[in-house]
Every structure is written in structure tokens, then in C-alpha cells.
Amino acid sequence: MTRILAIETSCDETGAAVIEDGRRILSNVVASQVELHAPYGGIFPEIASRAHVEAIVPVIEQAMREAHLTYDDLDGVAVTYGPGLAGSLLVGVNAAKGLALGSGRPLLGVNHLEAHIYAHWLETAESAPRTASGAELEFPLLALLVSGGHTELILMRGHGQYEYLGGTLDDAAGEAFDKVGRLLGLPYPGGPAIQRASEGGRPTAFRFPRAWLGESYDFSFSGLKTAVLREVQKYSDPPQGQVLADLAASFQAAVVDVLATKTARAAEEFGVREVLLCGGVSANRALREVTTERAAVPVRYLPPFLCTDNGAMVGACAYHHFQAGDRAGWDLDVVPGLRLAGRGRKGR
Ligand code: KG4
Ligand code: ZN
């Protein structure tokens, strides 16, 4: 049995988890900073890193307590080293180094994007002994990674083998949700708020633009954001009632239409066995439904607590690196701009 303590501090959640054999969640503690950032309508980096400093030790201690383990029971200490906010990543990386050094266990560095994908190999109480996605996953897989910072279509032919098919040219999908949420006068984060506001709204009430960008697998959401802004400016007060619901539903439908259509097309072109929806935006109900409708292969998605940032996904990913013999050095540094696979570049 391999037990890994995994730490996640790339953005605005302080996470620590203990994961057994890359699948079993022995504990998964997340301290959210949402309330601290809400007044700014987005993440304030300086506040984020300070909040991680305060939360990191209690969160790790709680994760160890809930797993009923001591540091001697661990096989490794894993941590996200990028991509993300430098000041936030540093808190996790330094905590992990201290724990690994103190316990004499190996240090593992994890790519946050890869971790979002590996969340699919975890099991939950409902899914055990299957994966949280509900099945044993088969390669090749197509991952749609949609979060606050990223929007990418990744072809995965095996463990650790990534091919970048396309991604956003401007805003990430979650960023578009957050910015449009602000335009609509909704609380931060915009994604869940827009999903809620769209209930009872008509997705066809406003014909918002879709950036198809030809046959490419790239995305663009800035034109859509501008179109929503122009519509909102027609009203003197922030929209409310049916207008708000219609705006939210029409915006959400425009984002989902492009994401689901391109994902279904890539799944067919590359002959994948399954599609994995990953990242915070994959908690979106419309995205799950429409992608499932359009794709010819099974579309897997996760319970919302595994979609947004958490330590469990870092532990799931670290396990595969542990098995492959990967170890980080004591000079492990944060890489805020870390990629999974580059544009036009295969693998890592
Ligand atoms: O993966 P994540 O927790 O953090 C990053 O790595 O960025 O993603 C956060 C993003 C936010 O932009 C948030 O608005 C979005 O995920 N999000 C959603 C939903 N829940 C979270 N977007 C649309 N619908 C949702 N239900
Ligand atoms: Zn994330």
C-alpha cells in the first residue's frame, strides 16, 4: 500500500489530503478563501498567499488526523508546484519540503493541470471500488480541462502522455463565468452564481456570439463577454428577475455550446474511448448534459468537490509519478506558468 500526503495551494484553496494507492481518499481537507476574495470580485494574490500561510498547518494536521495516520505511515509528500500564483504555490512547496525532510520521505512535485485530470481515478464513498468517474478508464482519453485559469483539450494516450489539441486564445472558461458574473451583479465566484441565476432562464433569449475559430480546437470567450456587457449597458440598473435569468442562461448556453461541440468533434476525430470533464467549470450542469448528448462515447464527470481545487487530485496524480520513480529534488521551485503539453508539442 502506498500512502501519499498531498498539498495544494496554487490558487485560493488550501488543500491537504492523504491518498492510498492513487485511488482511496483517506482524508481530503479544503479551506476555501472565497469569502476573503469576494469583496474584490476576483482573487487578490497578496491576500491569497497570506491566507495560505495561516491555513496550511491546521489543514495538514486535520488531514493527517482524519486519515488516522502518523508521518511514519507515509510513503511520500506531494505538492503542486505550478501552474498558479507564485506566492500561493510557495507556501505549499515549502510546507511539503519541510514535512518530507522532517519525516525522511520523498518529495513529489505535481502539475496542477495533470492533477485535475487524475481526479478521475479517485474513488468516492458512492463509487467505491470503481473510480469517482464511475468506471475503469480506458485509453485513449480526451480531457476537457476547464477552470478559472485554463481551457484546454488534451489527448491522453496513456499515463503521463499528453497531446495538446487546442486551448483558449484569451479568457479561460471559468474566468469568463467570473467576469460575466460581475457584469450581472452576481457574487464571486461567477460560475456557480450564473448556474443558479440561469434556472428558469431561456438559453435562446439572447443570441450571443460563438467563436468557432474554424476547424481548430481553440477557444475564445472575450467577444462573448463584450456582447454580454453591451446588453447589460442597455439597462440603468443591474438586471434582475427574468432578464437576469435569460442573460445568465443565454451566456451559459453560448459557452457550453462551443465547449461541448469541439469536445465531441475531437473525441470522434481521435477515436477516444472516453471523455473526461475536468476542472472547476466541469461542475456546471449544462456543460455535463450537453457534452453527454453530443459525444458518441461516455462522458465522465466528478462530484463537485473533486472538480474544484483539492488535495485529493494531487495525491492521485502523485501516485502515478511515485510508481514511475519520479522524485523531486530539495531545489524544487514553483513554476507559475507550467504547462501540461505545449501548443503543437507532444508529451511533457
Ligand atoms: O479548478 P478551479 O477550482 O480553480 C482553478 O484551477 O482555476 O476552478 C475555479 C473556476 C471558477 O472560475 C469558477 O467560477 C468555476 O470554476 N466554476 C464554475 C462552476 N463551479 C465552479 N463554472 C461554471 N459552473 C459551475 N457550476
Ligand atoms: Zn484548478
Side-chain angles (χ1 to χ4, degrees), residues 105-121:
R105 299 294 183 271
L107 178 70
L108 299 137
V110 171
N111 179 322
H112 181 80
L113 304 177
E114 191 177 20
H116 269 301
I117 296 175
Y118 271 92
H120 281 269
W121 274 268

Side-chain angles (χ1 to χ4, degrees), residues 226-265:
T226 309
V228 178
L229 173 64
R230 245 182 257 124
E231 208 52 56
V232 170
Q233 283 173 336
K234 293 181 185 165
Y235 304 86
S236 49
D237 299 316
Q240 288 183 345
Q242 190 62 41
V243 179
L244 173 62
D246 284 347
L247 283 166
S250 300
F251 161 76
Q252 181 174 267
V255 174
V256 166
D257 191 11
V258 180
L259 290 174
T261 301
K262 293 205 177 206
T263 301
R265 180 153 52 81

Side-chain angles (χ1 to χ4, degrees), residues 176-311:
F177 270 98
D178 294 338
K179 287 179 177 171
V180 167
R182 211 161 10 178
L183 292 179
L184 298 179
L186 295 170
Y188 174 83
I194 285 178
Q195 173 166 315
R196 240 174 290 121
S198 70
E199 285 163 19
R202 293 164 299 172
T204 51
F206 296 90
R207 280 304 297 168
F208 287 135
R210 274 85 165 142
W212 293 112
L213 308 175
E215 293 298 293
S216 81
Y217 290 117
D218 287 332
F219 302 94
S220 165
F221 298 109
S222 66
L224 171 59
K225 184 185 61 196
T226 309
V228 178
L229 173 64
R230 245 182 257 124
E231 208 52 56
V232 170
Q233 283 173 336
K234 293 181 185 165
Y235 304 86
S236 49
D237 299 316
Q240 288 183 345
Q242 190 62 41
V243 179
L244 173 62
D246 284 347
L247 283 166
S250 300
F251 161 76
Q252 181 174 267
V255 174
V256 166
D257 191 11
V258 180
L259 290 174
T261 301
K262 293 205 177 206
T263 301
R265 180 153 52 81
E268 189 172 337
E269 181 180 340
F270 295 95
V272 301
R273 305 289 291 267
E274 342 226 2
V275 169
L276 308 183
L277 300 183
C278 318
V281 182
S282 72
N284 187 269
R285 202 175 329 118
L287 177 64
R288 295 167 172 220
E289 288 172 3
V290 178
T291 312
T292 303
E293 260 165 45
R294 294 190 190 169
V297 294
V299 174
R300 312 285 181 192
Y301 45 78
L302 297 164
F305 80 96
L306 292 178
C307 294
T308 47
D309 292 348
N310 63 84

Side-chain angles (χ1 to χ4, degrees), residues 14 17 27 32 42 46 75 88 96 101 103 114 134 136 143 185 206 216 254-255 261 272 308 323 328:
T14 314
S27 64
S32 174
E46 170 89 13
D75 296 279
S88 291
L101 191 62
S103 62
E114 191 177 20
E136 279 304 322
F206 296 90
S216 81
V255 174
T261 301
V272 301
T308 47
Q323 295 293 87

